[in-house]
Amino acid sequence: MDHSTHHATTGHGHATWATATKATLHCLTGCAVGEILGMVIGTALLWGNVPTMILAIALAFVFGYSFTLFAVMRAGLSLRDAVKVALAADTVSIAVMELVDNAIVALTPGAMDAQLSDGLFWSALLGGFAVAFLITTPVNKWMIGRGKGHAVAHAHH
């Protein structure tokens, strides 16, 4: 087999666990800020579980995207290009993070009905994020190794 063919089939390169962990922490921070803010707002407005979760997930995406958006705009990209990069970099990462975290909160007995002042609510939420982090990090590593996801954002840092 000649080497040029071999390189063409191996993908975009190697992603380190450190890079994947950093990318996932970036995502986790945005998700956590958005989700907690959504829970606080929904609770303050006396909303039920479903509208509060919808708001929390929507804000998790907004904050998750905005963290990447501001980072790549600081690197000199236009708003339009920065939006494209943020969407490419974070959609899968945030979706996996939110899916796992919300599933754990939903499956933790009593967590959906717990108040913000309850330890059960926070332990379910933080435990959910911890598991989501462990699941999302290898997803990000795989995507970065193929030149997708956060690799797109890191090309502009």
Side-chain angles (χ1 to χ4, degrees):
M1 175 197 272
D2 98 347
H3 289 292
S4 61
T5 317
H6 178 69
H7 286 297
T9 59
T10 59
H12 287 20
H14 182 69
T16 64
W17 282 106
T19 304
T21 301
K22 184 179 172 190
T24 308
L25 280 172
H26 214 237
C27 169
L28 178 70
T29 305
C31 288
V33 167
E35 195 154 321
I36 291 168
L37 190 62
M39 298 287 186
V40 169
I41 293 169
T43 302
L45 296 175
L46 303 175
W47 289 2
N49 288 339
V50 173
T52 300
M53 271 183 93
I54 291 168
L55 176 65
I57 292 168
L59 288 175
F61 272 91
V62 168
F63 280 92
Y65 285 135
S66 64
F67 279 36
T68 297
L69 189 69
F70 292 125
V72 294
M73 282 182 71
R74 275 197 308 268
L77 260 69
S78 68
L79 178 61
R80 183 179 175 160
D81 288 340
V83 168
K84 287 180 191 171
V85 168
L87 290 173
D90 291 336
T91 301
V92 172
S93 190
I94 297 171
V96 171
M97 183 84 58
E98 286 302 295
L99 184 72
V100 173
D101 179 59
N102 283 288
I104 288 170
V105 171
L107 295 172
T108 302
M112 290 295 289
D113 300 315
Q115 300 304 307
L116 290 175
S117 57
D118 292 352
L120 176 65
F121 168 79
W122 291 103
S123 60
L125 184 70
L126 297 176
F129 274 128
V131 174
F133 177 81
L134 293 174
I135 292 172
T136 308
T137 301
V139 170
N140 279 333
K141 184 178 186 301
W142 181 82
M143 287 177 62
I144 293 165
R146 276 145 195 78
K148 301 201 178 347
H150 282 267
V152 178
H154 286 289
H156 299 287
H157 278 288

